[in-house]
Amino acid sequence: MTDTDQGKNLSKNADEHIAKLKSQIIQNDECGTTHYNLAVALMGKQEFVEAEKELHDAIDRSPTLAEAYVLLGGICLQRNDLEGCYRFNQLATKARAGFAEGYGNMAFVLLQLIDGKDPKEDEEKMDKAIKNLKKAIIHNKNFVQAFTTLGTAYFMKGLVPEGIKANLEAIEIQPEFPVAHNNLAVAYLEIGEFDKAIAYCDKAEEFGFEVAQELKDELALHRKA
């Protein structure tokens, strides 16, 4: 079977799955989970307008369905609507107490909103992001992305040792998580620990991360012949 044939089969299967979910909704329109599952399937086909409607329907029927708020935040992010993304993830944490992903996403948005125009406001956003990430980790101690984002927030504040610690904790959870290795390579380069920086850079590439050429060029100056 050619790749084209496989693609056609995948598309056909997706269409059949969507049709089945729509049929289930016709029979029982009050199931929020079915509306949510339909939205996920539609997003897989990049039919975001219809998916957005289904997510709102899911929330109308199941107000505690935190995952639906997160997906609405994802749609906002695609539209570069950071404030909308933040708002929906905030609603997710209210819909379900202790929903770690919502706190992590809120922190990510806050860091994206830092623009250098007002240092005081930027500092407040970083501090708020760190607070949200710590909440995310409290509720999910294995939330590896929260640890790496926490490391990024610390680096942005100039707290390099704290940033290194957060990324090392990410690697303890998932040893082959490439983002953490790349972050550590950057951090160790910054503080002049070149051997460690090189080792983590090589690990990041080994685990599939596309390391910036600028970082590789800088580390090349410190590699032993």
Side-chain angles (χ1 to χ4, degrees), residues 121-172:
E121 283 189 8
D122 287 348
E123 191 75 17
E124 289 173 353
K125 289 171 187 172
M126 283 186 272
D127 290 340
K128 194 171 182 179
I130 289 169
K131 184 177 179 180
N132 279 317
L133 289 162
K134 287 182 176 180
K135 285 182 181 179
I137 291 166
I138 286 170
H139 295 301
N140 181 359
K141 294 186 179 1
N142 293 318
F143 194 174
V144 64
Q145 292 90 346
F147 281 101
T148 55
T149 307
L150 178 60
T152 297
Y154 279 134
F155 291 148
M156 292 173 75
K157 283 178 65 70
L159 302 174
V160 177
E162 289 85 347
I164 288 173
K165 181 176 182 293
N167 280 282
L168 287 172
E169 288 177 320
I171 288 174
E172 285 184 18

